[in-house]
Amino acid sequence: MDITWGASASHEIAWGGMIAVYLFLAGIAAGAFLTAALTDLFGKNRPAKLIRAGAYIPPIAIVVGLLLLVFDLGRPLSFWKLIFNVNFSSVMSLGTFIISIFTAVALVYAYLIWAWPVAQARGIQITVAGVEAAAAREVPASGLQALRKPVAVVGSLLAFGTATYTGFLLSAVSTNTFWSVPFLGISGVPFLPFLFLVSAISTGLAATLIGAIDCSDLTLYKKVDIVLLAIEILLLIILYTSVSSAFFQGGLANLFWIGVVVIGLLLPLILAIYGVSKHKNLVVPVCGMVVVGGLALRYFVVYAGQMVR
Amino acid sequence: MKRRDFLKGALYGTGGTMIAFGGFGTLTKLDPKKAAAAEQDALSTVFSTCEMCTSRCTVALKVKNGKVVKAEGHPNDASTGGSICARGNAAPSLLYDPERIKKPMLRTGERGDGKFKEVSWEEAYSYIAEKLKNVQKQYGGEALAVTSRVNPNDIFFRSIARAMGSPNMFSHEATCPMTRTVALEATFGNPYIGADYGNAKYIITNGRNFFEGIHVPMVKGVMKSISNGGKLVVLDPRFSVTAAKGEWVPIKGATDLAFIMAMANVMISENLYDKEFIAQYSVGFDKWVEAVKDKTPAWAEQETGIPKDKIVQITRDFAKAKPNCLLEYGWRTPWTGNDYQLRRAIMIVNMMMGNWEVPGGYFRKKGAALLKPYPELQQYAKSLGGGMVQPAFPKPAKGRIDGTGIKGTPGQVIPVPDGAVGQIPESILTGKPYPIKAWMVYRFNPVISMPESERVIEAIKKLDLMVTCDVYMTDAAYYSDVVLPECTYMERYDPMIDNTGLTPKFQIRQPAVPVVYPDTKPAWQIFKELGEKMGYGQYFPFKDMEEYLTKQLAAAGLTLAEMKEKGFWVPPGMKPFFMRGKDPKAPAPTASADQKIQIFSEELEEATKQGIPEYKHYPQPENGKFRFIQGKVAVHTNAGTHNVPVLNELMPTNTLWINSVSAGKLGIKEGDSIIISAGKYEHKGIAKVTEGIRPDTVFTYHGFGRISPKMTRAYGKGINDNKLIPNELGEVGNVVSSTTFVTVRKA
Amino acid sequence: MAKHYAMAVVVAKCIGCQACTVACKFQNNVPEGQYRTKTPVVGPKGTFPNVSMYFEKQACQMCQNAPCVEVCPTKASHYNEAGVVLVDVDKCVGCKYCLTACPYDARFINKDTGAADKCTFCWEARVSKGQVPACVSTCVGGALVFGDEKDSNSEIAKLLSKNKGEVRKEEFGTRPSIYYIFEGVK
Ligand SMILES: Nc1nc2c(c(=O)[nH]1)N[C@H]1C(S)=C(S)[C@@H](COP(=O)(O)OP(=O)(O)OC[C@H]3O[C@@H](n4cnc5c(=O)[nH]c(N)nc54)[C@H](O)[C@@H]3O)O[C@H]1N2
Ligand SMILES: Nc1nc2c(c(=O)[nH]1)N[C@H]1C(S)=C(S)[C@@H](COP(=O)(O)OP(=O)(O)OC[C@H]3O[C@@H](n4cnc5c(=O)[nH]c(N)nc54)[C@H](O)[C@@H]3O)O[C@H]1N2
Ligand code: SF4
Ligand code: SF4
Ligand code: SF4
Ligand code: SF4
Ligand code: SF4
Ligand SMILES: [Mo]
């Protein structure tokens, strides 16, 4: 209730749910890409299904995310101006390029992965040795497939850039004490890029695992997931101790404690530790919760930074 | 300084009012085609007079492509410094409001069910004329009452009543400063008295809320005074913006006269007043000495709740600043039934300070007539003339319903042009002294502005004819038979506006754009045409307002073209003039050169048997009850602007202020829904719990809680104070606004 | 020497009348429900009868080290030749990054244009043509003083040399050009 008259002072929330989802999707895209590409590059017995899941998720996620971003613009039809007007001091301006190139690379990579079995099939027809070689990744693939590895390398770098960018985007707002909180108090080292990177890999991996549900041996991935969850918990403890407790109060408290901590971290962690040794069919619930938790985390960070100023 | 010169050059340099003010980027950036188009976009300026409230500040209306896009203060008007308030700035929002009335409307359903049809002006006039003629035949011409907020078109509006033989012409003043007018007339023989706030060193105000009841030149003056280190003491039961800028003294409501009398008591006992001045200029001081003899600070403490030491200290400091000190005489004044005596006492104490006709004091407004005795000044100005000469009107067969003008009764001192407007619903409902059967209101909203809204509505429902002329379908219009849409002040000429202060000052009102809604008309034209329809054409002997203005101006040696170009006129080179400015012994006339300041007023003695102010104790709220008071808010005018889009956006509703301790006892929290009860009437509202009000008082901003659904933005929002206040006539016909008690409970 | 336009708000003289709010709306075509400037009340503080309150005119603080300019991806937000922070509507995509960066809640997305909007010091229509901003020109309390801070003869420079001008949220290092003079405020 306004006590006298006039327009009352207001704190508008500039970035809402669309941006939170966008940051989340960009993270998933990056995480899934890293999962697929690193497997592709270093995996011994590459579970093709997992690579495929990890390669298909990024373009879909990032394109949906970018569409949300564009819709959220005050002037959606002018989005292209982001590309033609560059401001080197603006994280968003730089991020635009990272994300745009990442999107393109992710599309190419997805295409290559899609085309891979076709190439392999063609290979069978040519020589038996060729097929074996392709499967064992000993013989360089021919034609376009020759690009797959380099694309995976470049894409991984861009994925890494995208994941951390989502953190830098917020942490660069130096007037926002929450978003720009430094890592362990070290000035100049922002905290959010670490958090968002870990969360991106964790959610991307989780999403990929859901896509690769019927693969046989995913133990390694599940172990990685456990490690990532543990790191994230550690990071949130650091965050909690670095900023004012005001950010964890009111409506945001539920989002944080239930959404991020319980659903996103503790439950999956417990279930994952339990499930690694026993149950295979815990993948969907565990990974599902990780993904939901990742979304909750973006919502929380985006809103907390703007609600309390 | 530079800015002023720049503007002067820009505005006057080309010798016309249509001056280009580009509202676009630098020309170098534009291609020639765009530049040509931009040329047409250029702003022109039309100087005029604001009517968002009746302070009537000078304005510069900015017109672009035939639309008023902005209102600004007149850059050359020293009294406003080029400022206008939020309401003045909101001008285009009123002008283009689609909720204005656009055509004459005739009621088709029952009164109050809101059914109207649009009719032509011809039909509207015929309908009114026929009804009025019937009323005249059946009951006599005096059965018509007309009421308007004081304004330059009154002469035309009232001509209808005069021609019909009705004496019952009223202004809104009984709801506003009429008690002050009565006091000034009784004391000085004339009411045209102003105060030089800017040069005052100490200002005390009993409820005059300078910074919310805005009059731009007064705000400038008071602000100048306090910026220069002047002291401001604000006696008000609630913490107003004005109180925030000075020392707040939370006086008990309806007890101000006790404080003033105690001041006089201290001044006399401590010899703090200007004896020479009193001796030279006044009569009857001895009776005043007698009257305040026992009005000690200790006594006043009991009445007002202000500690006696505080009263003494304020009085001493105030007297130290004499004669550059002002005890403010008020604007909206009717706190109590005998408020005129409060205003009298205030002016008497002022005169004890000798603050008459000196800088930082009170002065007579310096119309041309007052300059005549001064050879070095008389050349500066001549008075405006009349715009027409009217033949004699028939003499009314009966006296007025409110007794105005009857010697030996309070009616003797009720100002004739104003009357006691509160008497109208009483006469309609009781038939005493005789019934009113037709009521025409113009630029006045009795349903919201007069006490006891429901009684006013009940009265309207009994009439044979109710006519409202307004710019909105107001609450009064909603219950009318005929609604006449005036165009706004931005679309019309009005007769000259005389805003004389320390120098003469004439202002023009002229159209900035043609009428936005083609079926709206200026008031002068509406009443002229209605008059002609009724066969009273002889009382409107002029063709149009240009002709009328030309005549008015000719008498003052001015031309319409010149006024249109400049917007306002003050005698070039004339400095503010105080009659005692140079010589404290100089004669300073009141009504006439030899008349003395009436500390004892023979006239009041005759009319009310109170030639000297007498204290009257009004009850204080019993436990559990609150005194209910009201006030103005900076972003709205009275009952006038609550539906103007931009202003409605800034403040769509009001609240009931209640002290936090009192609220706590009632279990009321900030923002709670509450019910305010005045016994007979109840009103819903929202509570504002605050430290800024006396625990025995509740307050609300006036003008909300609107009844007409046709003002969709304001309709039903907030508290209509006048629903709760009884229609009580004060001793000199004023309404009474601060003596109502209410209870408050959670809804 | 380059100019540096600045505004001083003499808080003691501000009566909260909102003339500035409304003048700004019409000067700059600010859409319904949106504001480039607001003057909310601060208080009342204290307990009856010792209470106080004042009004604080708020708008873009015209930071000389403006976070909004820094973060803007398209350079739509920029400093003009006189150090005034402006938004080039044409370049603005409406990403709202600047809204999140501004610590003074000075910006909003204009409903009509979709671009970021805020106080411009009335640059185009008034200041560049030698007039003071609309809010300053209409200020009823006389609380607003505008001018070139670097010109020692300007009213504002004189005012600031005599009175302490405080800036809002100094800790962010934004170096605002709006100074609040609290002298005489209870
Ligand atoms: N913004 C704005 N400006 C206006 C107007 C407007 O509506 N809005 N209206 C114009 C008009 S018509 C007028 S008359 C003037 C009015 O200007 P003011 O005379 O200043 O009128 P109010 O604001 O009604 O001031 C009434 C103050 O008196 C206090 N009060 C109530 N009862 C008592 C009492 O018994 N004793 C004392 N000491 N104080 C009391 C109220 O709390 C309130 O603060 O303003 C003019 N200017
Ligand atoms: N309880 C309580 N009652 C009060 C007050 C209070 O504080 N408390 N204040 C009192 C005071 S001080 C006053 S002065 C009165 C004011 O009472 P009113 O004179 O009734 O109020 P206003 O708002 O000034 O104007 C009345 C009407 O004029 C219309 N109007 C505006 N411009 C024009 C125009 O150009 N042409 C025409 N034809 N109409 C126009 C408006 O739409 C409005 O309906 O109210 C008094 N009533
Ligand atoms: S005080 Fe405001 S509304 Fe009244 S005439 Fe002056 S500018 Fe207009
Ligand atoms: S106040 Fe906000 S919008 Fe204005 S310059 Fe500073 S950061 Fe930018
Ligand atoms: S909203 Fe416009 S001005 Fe603000 S950062 Fe984005 S592009 Fe720049
Ligand atoms: S300087 Fe102009 S844009 Fe800024 S608040 Fe004042 S009027 Fe509005
Ligand atoms: S116009 Fe001036 S006095 Fe009125 S609210 Fe704005 S800054 Fe304050
Ligand atoms: Mo009034």
Side-chain angles (χ1 to χ4, degrees), chain C residues 68 71-74 76-77 87 91-99 107 109 116:
Chain C
C68 58
V71 302
C72 176
T74 61
S77 285
V87 180
K91 275 191 185 166
C92 173
V93 297
C95 70
K96 298 179 258 186
Y97 201 14
C98 53
L99 273 71
R107 291 179 166 239
I109 293 292

Side-chain angles (χ1 to χ4, degrees), chain A residues 252-267 292-293 296:
Chain A
L252 292 169
N254 290 337
L255 185 60
F256 180 75
W257 293 112
I258 300 175
V260 179
V261 177
V262 175
I263 297 178
L265 296 169
L266 294 181
L267 277 180
V292 170

Side-chain angles (χ1 to χ4, degrees), chain A residues 185-230:
Chain A
I186 309 165
S187 83
V189 183
F191 171 83
L192 279 189
F194 290 99
L195 180 65
F196 279 14
L197 175 64
V198 174
S199 173
I201 301 173
S202 156
T203 50
L205 172 60
T208 310
L209 289 181
I210 295 174
I213 178 93
D214 39 357
C215 280
S216 46
D217 188 22
L218 297 172
T219 317
L220 171 70
Y221 296 92
K222 290 177 192 164
K223 281 187 182 155
V224 171
D225 205 12
I226 290 173
V227 174
L228 288 171
L229 289 175

Side-chain angles (χ1 to χ4, degrees), chain B residues 3 6 21-22 24-25 70 72 82-84 86 89 92 220 223 227 239 241 245-246 248 649-650 691 693-694, chain C residues 11-14 17 19 23 25-27 32-33 35 46-49 51 124 126 129 131 137-141 186:
Chain B
R3 172 169 73 100
F6 171 83
F21 254 94
F24 37 84
K70 190 165 185 288
E72 292 180 4
S83 297
I84 49 172
N89 269 293
K220 297 278 174 193
M223 195 53 87
S227 300
F239 189 59
V241 174
K245 298 291 174 196
W248 180 37
E649 192 182 307
L650 284 174
E691 297 295 328
I693 192 162
R694 290 180 58 86
Chain C
V11 180
K13 286 185 161 192
C14 174
C17 68
K25 283 207 132 192
F26 287 101
Q27 180 69 60
E32 193 184 325
Y35 300 90
T47 47
F48 176 86
V51 291
E124 282 221 350
R126 300 183 66 107
K129 300 188 164 74
Q131 290 175 283
S137 140
T138 206
C139 178
V140 176
K186 278 177 285 183

